[in-house]
């Protein structure tokens, strides 16, 4: 048979089961779009390529499946970079197809030519520059295998315009394949870990997103319950364990719970599962779990001993590790340790409950939202104080219900990621908590929302400031406030209406909580402006670079 490069791309994406692709066309990828015209794949026209990248992320983060986005060469590709880098740091499987100038023009500073391959080397798990249509037959299955095997991550395929139109003859379509080989777990290390757990007096488990990626939430719970080991989550692990569980201590780190941070320092054994010892979680690393023996299990070998040396480590999929270790663990009720854990939890409540007259307190609003949306609602956030309040307060009960930019901390993440999540999970509600600074960075995607009409509610925590920056200036920069306050505040409600969304402004409502409740019941795109006092700080907090036990508030 004979097909063009563009036909090969679209056919293989259909074969892979890709249902939605977000992107923006331009001269270097128009041959690809011509073939997309007759494809059953639904194309979502984003309004900025960063939006397209985050729509893909919303699909991938909410479903665990690899998602795809398209951009043209030059500015299309550079606009996509932030979303790709964000996917790299949070291990999100996406495959981005970028158009490139014709092969004969590469290296001539041609119109809209940029070295996408070079630019994306440090921010992808792997990247390709296709030299011929035939090459695409091997590149595409390989790209998906890389994106979704082991520790997932983003892959870029840069396709010159002439490669998209080039015809090539071949006998059969290639198959997609998975990594079937797994690292063998060393039995003596496994036995040593079981022995360590048996002898530990004060063990604690810290888990990260690896538990979600490996679908081992229930195995983790079995291990914790069998041996009575308290559980601490990273921000990206939230949702894996029901927060009402008696062994659950919440999140660690900069805005974690004071009791989790303190108890980690009391532990004699830390079992780190799919947790990469990120500095926002560990605080000053030299001071982190100093008294503890450390066991580290991670699918990515490069993470082991990268930041914190471990005493015992296993490089494996967590599911395989947990299945292997569970039969070796004896039941233990750990009465004394659990009593200490409970006492510590009672001594340091996470935060003060806002007073009844404090209607717009962010924690109260989050409680109201959680109480009035369906259980299976997906939450996205932008980056700032509002993100931290949501991570701290929202009761995430299911994996993949909290989509947030953890590693890169990208303002502008929330709205387009919500679009991807809503399109990939029709029938489920998506709520995006945004900040007035972050929202301005990708609000053009409200046009995409108006077009697609997904069930998204945007809640704008409007404090008129770059709140998290203002907070740091107040606490750590002698109150030298600069470039953190907005002196020209847009009328966001009017803007949302201008885009075609139903919009509410709670600052103008007589009974704002009732309006909020009614707005949350709508199953259409809704925007809600919520006034937040700009002096409100996210507490407790570990000062940047300090040890977790020096937590303020
Ligand atoms: C793209 C980007 N630029 C800058 C920052 C640094 N930064 C982190 S939080 C923040 C303030 C966010 O303001 P807003 O979205 O209003 O949220 P708030 O903290 O007020 O809730 C800034 C500027 C960032 N994280 N991302
Ligand atoms: Mg703000």
């Amino acid at each position: 048979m004979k097909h063009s490069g563009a036909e090969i791309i679209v056919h293989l994406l259909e074969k892979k089961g890709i249902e939605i692709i977000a992107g923006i066309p331009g001269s270097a990828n128009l041959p690809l779009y011509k073939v997309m015209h007759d494809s059953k794949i639904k194309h979502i026209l984003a309004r900025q390529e960063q939006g397209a990248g985050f729509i893909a992320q919303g699909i991938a983060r909410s479903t665990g499946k690899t998602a795809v986005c398209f951009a043209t060469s030059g500015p299309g590709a550079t606009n996509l970079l932030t979303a790709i880098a964000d996917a790299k740091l949070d291990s999100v499987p996406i495959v981005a197809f970028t158009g490139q100038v014709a092969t004969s023009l590469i290296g001539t500073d041609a119109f809209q030519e940029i070295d996408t391959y070079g630019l994306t080397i440090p921010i992808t798990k792997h990247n390709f520059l296709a030299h011929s249509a035939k090459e695409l037959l091997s590149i595409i299955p390989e790209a998906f295998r890389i994106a979704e095997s082991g520790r997932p991550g983003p892959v870029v395929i840069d396709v010159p315009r002439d490669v998209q139109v080039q015809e090539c003859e071949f006998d059969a379509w290639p198959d997609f394949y998975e990594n079937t080989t797994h690292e063998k777990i060393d039995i003596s290390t496994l036995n040593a870990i079981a022995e360590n757990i048996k002898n530990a007096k004060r063990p604690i488990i810290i888990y990260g997103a690896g538990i979600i990626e490996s679908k081992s939430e229930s195995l983790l719970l079995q291990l914790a319950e069998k041996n009575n080991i308290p559980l601490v989550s990273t921000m990206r692990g939230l949702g894996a364990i029901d927060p009402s569980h008696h062994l659950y201590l919440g999140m660690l780190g900069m805005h974690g719970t004071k009791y989790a941070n303190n108890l980690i320092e009391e532990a004699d054994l830390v079992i780190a599962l799919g947790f990469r010892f990120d500095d926002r979680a560990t605080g000053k690393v030299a001071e982190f779990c100093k008294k503890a023996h450390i066991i580290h299990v991670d699918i990515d070998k490069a993470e082991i001993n990268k930041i914190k040396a471990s005493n015992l480590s296993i490089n494996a999929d967590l599911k395989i590790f947990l299945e292997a270790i569970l039969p070796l663990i004896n039941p233990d009720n750990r009465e004394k340790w659990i009593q200490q854990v409970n006492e510590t939890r009672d001594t340091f409540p996470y935060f003060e409950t806002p007073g009844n007259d404090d209607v717009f307190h962010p924690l109260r609003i989050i409680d109201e939202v959680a109480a009035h949306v369906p259980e299976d609602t997906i939450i996205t956030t932008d980056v700032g104080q509002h993100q931290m309040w949501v991570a701290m307060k929202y009761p995430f009960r299911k994996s993949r219900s909290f989509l947030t930019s953890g590693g890169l901390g990208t303002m502008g993440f929330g709205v387009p990621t919500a679009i991807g999540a809503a399109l990939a999970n029709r029938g489920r509600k998506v709520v995006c908590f945004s900040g007035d600074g972050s929202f301005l960075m990708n609000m053009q995607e409200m046009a995409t929302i108006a077009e697609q009409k997904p069930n998204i509610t945007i809640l704008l925590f409007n404090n008129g400031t770059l709140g998290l920056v203002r907070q740091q200036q107040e606490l750590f920069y002698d109150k030298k406030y600069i470039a953190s306050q907005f002196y020209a505040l847009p009328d966001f409600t009017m803007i949302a209406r201008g885009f075609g969304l139903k919009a509410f402004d709670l600052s103008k409502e007589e009974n704002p909580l009732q309006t909020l409740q009614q707005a949350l019941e709508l199953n259409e795109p809704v925007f809600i402006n919520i006034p937040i006092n700009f002096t409100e700080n996210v507490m407790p907090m570990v000062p940047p670079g300090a040890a977790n036990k020096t937590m303020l508030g």
Side-chain angles (χ1 to χ4, degrees):
M1 58 189 138
K2 202 170 178 186
H3 286 287
S4 70
E7 286 165 356
I8 291 172
I9 294 171
V10 174
H11 180 88
L12 288 180
L13 293 178
E14 286 171 349
K15 182 170 175 180
K16 177 67 188 165
I18 299 298
E19 291 171 6
I20 301 168
I21 293 174
I24 301 185
S27 66
N29 65 356
L30 272 173
L32 180 58
Y33 271 87
K34 184 182 170 199
V35 181
M36 278 294 286
H37 180 272
D38 299 320
S39 170
K40 61 179 186 210
I41 298 173
K42 186 178 167 73
H43 183 268
I44 305 294
L45 176 63
R47 298 318 201 249
Q48 212 264 36
E49 288 81 358
Q50 190 183 115
F54 283 127
I55 290 172
Q57 275 216 39
I59 298 170
R61 286 185 188 242
S62 64
T63 62
K65 294 185 189 143
T66 308
V68 175
C69 55
F70 287 169
T72 190
S73 65
T78 54
N79 272 351
L80 205 56
L81 294 180
T82 301
I84 296 170
D86 188 281
K88 175 79 167 18
L89 280 178
D90 280 350
S91 314
V92 181
I94 58 171
V95 176
F97 287 82
T98 47
Q100 182 54 277
V101 300
T103 319
S104 60
L105 294 175
I106 289 180
T108 67
D109 291 341
F111 177 64
Q112 295 192 328
E113 183 194 359
I114 203 82
D115 179 6
T116 304
Y117 180 84
L119 281 172
T120 54
I121 288 173
I123 57 166
T124 50
K125 193 171 169 193
H126 198 66
N127 63 355
F128 299 91
L129 170 59
H131 296 92
S132 68
K134 190 154 211 151
E135 245 182 54
L136 289 167
L137 293 166
S138 53
I139 286 177
I140 295 172
E142 181 65 356
F144 278 90
R145 184 193 65 78
I146 292 169
E148 56 205 28
S149 66
R151 177 181 182 169
V155 176
V156 165
I157 308 179
D158 200 28
V159 193
R161 199 185 168 286
D162 56 316
V163 172
Q164 295 168 44
V165 292
Q166 187 185 53
E167 298 265 336
C168 105
E169 286 223 34
F170 55 100
D171 296 333
W173 290 106
D175 285 325
F176 286 88
Y177 46 96
E178 288 174 26
N179 253 21
T180 43
T181 50
H182 283 292
E183 297 286 338
K184 282 233 158 38
I185 295 187
D186 178 53
I187 298 299
S188 63
T189 312
L190 206 59
N191 283 326
I193 290 176
E195 196 62 21
N196 263 227
I197 294 176
K198 187 172 147 201
N199 295 332
K201 297 271 175 299
R202 298 177 308 280
I204 213 160
I205 293 172
I206 306 175
Y207 64 90
I211 287 292
I212 297 170
E213 281 309 327
S214 60
K215 302 191 182 75
S216 38
E217 298 88 340
S218 65
L219 289 168
L220 171 67
L221 210 51
Q222 282 178 47
L223 172 66
E225 286 176 349
K226 190 168 183 184
N227 200 263
N228 269 295
I229 311 175
L231 291 156
V232 173
S233 179
T234 66
M235 183 167 75
R236 294 252 303 116
L238 293 176
I241 299 292
D242 192 304
S244 62
H245 195 279
H246 65 283
L247 289 170
Y248 181 70
L249 297 178
M251 187 169 77
L252 83 163
M254 184 175 271
H255 290 293
T257 66
K258 211 164 186 169
Y259 41 86
N261 282 339
N262 283 5
L263 284 161
I264 289 167
E265 300 315 324
E266 294 305 313
D268 62 352
L269 179 69
V270 163
I271 307 163
L273 304 176
F275 161 52
R276 64 183 175 90
F277 292 87
D278 170 72
D279 57 282
R280 277 291 192 271
T282 61
K284 189 176 181 184
V285 185
E287 300 291 321
F288 185 63
C289 55
K290 258 166 112 175
K291 295 184 199 158
H293 212 71
I294 297 176
I295 294 168
H296 192 186
V297 186
D298 203 287
I299 192 143
D300 185 355
K301 204 170 185 171
E303 290 300 342
I304 290 171
N305 299 327
K306 182 177 95 177
I307 291 170
K308 189 95 185 163
S310 46
N311 301 88
L312 286 169
S313 65
I314 287 187
N315 168 217
D317 183 285
L318 284 172
K319 190 170 210 172
I320 295 172
F321 164 75
L322 286 165
E323 276 166 355
I325 197 87
L326 264 168
L328 309 180
I329 301 294
N330 299 321
D332 193 334
N333 63 17
R334 300 196 177 278
E335 218 168 297
K336 228 173 126 196
W337 174 224
I338 295 300
Q339 192 186 339
Q340 185 183 341
V341 166
N342 291 339
E343 279 167 11
T344 310
R345 182 161 34 194
D346 295 344
T347 324
F348 301 109
Y350 201 173
F351 24 55
E352 284 166 32
T353 315
N356 271 342
D357 50 346
D358 207 353
V359 177
F360 294 119
H361 193 286
L363 300 179
R364 147 126 340 125
I365 298 287
I366 292 165
D367 269 347
E368 285 291 322
V369 174
H372 292 103
V373 296
E375 270 268 326
D376 66 351
T377 298
I378 298 172
I379 303 295
T380 75
T381 71
D382 265 301
V383 171
Q385 291 180 314
H386 61 280
Q387 175 192 31
M388 292 303 127
W389 282 315
V390 170
M392 291 160 77
K393 194 71 169 90
Y394 198 94
F396 297 104
R397 295 193 181 89
K398 286 270 176 296
S399 286
R400 303 191 182 282
S401 62
F402 179 40
L403 316 184
T404 199
S405 174
L408 199 63
T410 311
M411 292 167 70
F413 174 95
V415 170
T417 302
I419 297 174
L423 295 176
N425 297 273
R426 288 282 185 190
R428 284 173 75 181
K429 193 177 195 68
V430 179
V431 172
C432 167
F433 288 89
S434 188
D436 46 328
S438 300
F439 184 67
L440 284 169
M441 293 207 186
N442 266 328
M443 70 166 183
Q444 77 286 343
E445 298 309 328
M446 277 197 291
T448 314
I449 293 180
E451 214 161 70
Q452 301 297 331
K453 302 193 177 42
N455 184 1
I456 294 177
T457 306
I458 300 169
L459 297 166
L460 189 77
F461 277 26
N462 189 346
N463 53 10
T465 67
L466 298 169
L468 206 54
V469 172
R470 198 212 68 88
Q471 171 167 347
Q472 295 224 17
Q473 289 172 338
E474 178 188 332
L475 299 174
F476 313 117
Y477 293 90
D478 304 329
K479 302 195 170 134
K480 304 270 186 210
Y481 299 115
I482 174 171
S484 53
Q485 190 178 344
F486 295 124
Y487 296 100
L489 279 181
D491 183 337
F492 287 107
T493 316
M494 200 192 278
I495 292 172
R497 285 192 192 122
F499 273 96
L501 271 58
K502 198 165 264 181
F504 302 87
D505 185 349
L506 297 196
S507 69
K508 302 210 169 95
E509 295 290 331
E510 206 142 286
N511 193 339
L513 291 185
Q514 193 187 340
T515 306
L516 174 66
Q517 208 172 311
Q518 286 164 352
L520 286 168
E521 275 162 20
L522 300 170
N523 290 316
E524 61 186 298
V526 177
F527 173 93
I528 307 170
N529 182 62
I530 305 171
I532 302 288
N533 188 341
F534 78 99
T535 57
E536 208 67 70
N537 282 340
V538 186
M539 284 294 171
M541 176 183 198
V542 178
N548 279 352
K549 57 177 176 266
T550 63
M551 195 161 209
L552 311 171

